[in-house]
Amino acid sequence: MRRRPQIPYVDPEKVVTLDIDQEIKATARGSAGKVLLLEDRDDFREVLHQHLAFRYYQVTSVPNGAEGLRKIMKGAFDLIICDMMMPEMGGEMFYWAVTRARPGTARRFIFFTGHQNSPALQFFFRRVNATVLMKPFHLAELDSAMRDVLLKLR
């Protein structure tokens, strides 16, 4: 004769449940938005693209400012995440072109660079009161910068 396994008694007052579907929907509603990502290195651009897509952003990725400008002229973005050193059109030139065409975008930029000791870049960042990440940075730092910029836009 087989024994039935004993099922332990669980006090319903002590059970914690998590509605994963609700959490995912809340996250998607709270953070979904359109992001333009400019980075000339394919590997780094792909990592950032995947990270943002995982966080429910609609991401458009381009390798330089010239392509970024074409995308901006076709539609608006909630955030613009921009490398400073790119071929054809770097971050500073891209910023000035975009803000001339769409002045409301000036506060939507997050810049990143590996050239933290460049006086010209530091001058530009101070001049436009930029949100800046220094390479290498953790993805959590990007998330934090994005939250900060989006909160300032409210």
Side-chain angles (χ1 to χ4, degrees):
M1 180 167 179
R2 292 178 67 180
R3 284 185 73 200
R4 285 188 180 173
Q6 292 288 329
I7 300 174
Y9 170 77
V10 177
D11 183 355
E13 297 293 319
K14 295 182 181 178
V15 172
V16 177
T17 61
L18 175 63
D19 187 342
I20 294 174
D21 288 336
Q22 288 298 93
E23 289 293 318
I24 290 172
K25 288 175 187 171
T27 301
R29 277 193 309 269
S31 64
K34 291 179 68 175
V35 174
L36 178 61
L37 171 64
L38 296 93
E39 165 60 51
D40 59 320
R41 283 188 41 205
D42 294 339
D43 56 345
F44 193 47
R45 186 175 62 248
E46 183 61 26
V47 167
L48 293 175
H49 184 109
Q50 292 300 321
H51 176 75
L52 296 168
F54 181 74
R55 285 173 169 45
Y56 301 99
Y57 287 95
Q58 298 171 6
V59 186
T60 300
S61 300
V62 295
N64 59 59
E67 285 190 42
L69 191 53
R70 284 192 280 279
K71 297 295 184 182
I72 285 282
M73 299 314 287
K74 290 181 181 177
F77 290 88
D78 298 304
L79 289 171
I80 301 166
I81 302 171
C82 182
D83 187 15
M84 288 303 293
M85 301 297 180
M86 297 178 289
E88 296 183 44
M89 181 187 290
E92 182 176 355
M93 187 183 293
F94 174 73
Y95 174 85
W96 294 122
V98 168
T99 56
R100 181 167 292 138
R102 295 184 184 268
T105 60
R107 295 180 19 214
R108 297 179 182 280
F109 274 82
I110 297 172
F111 295 100
F112 57 90
T113 186
H115 301 273
Q116 61 192 33
N117 295 325
S118 166
L121 287 180
Q122 293 304 321
F123 176 78
F124 169 72
F125 293 148
R126 282 191 305 276
R127 182 176 179 192
V128 301
N129 194 26
T131 299
V132 182
L133 297 172
M134 294 296 172
K135 289 180 182 176
F137 56 85
H138 294 278
L139 293 174
E141 293 174 78
L142 175 60
D143 292 340
S144 178
M146 291 171 63
R147 265 190 309 276
D148 291 347
V149 169
L150 289 170
L151 283 173
K152 288 177 188 174
L153 292 172
R154 290 186 180 174

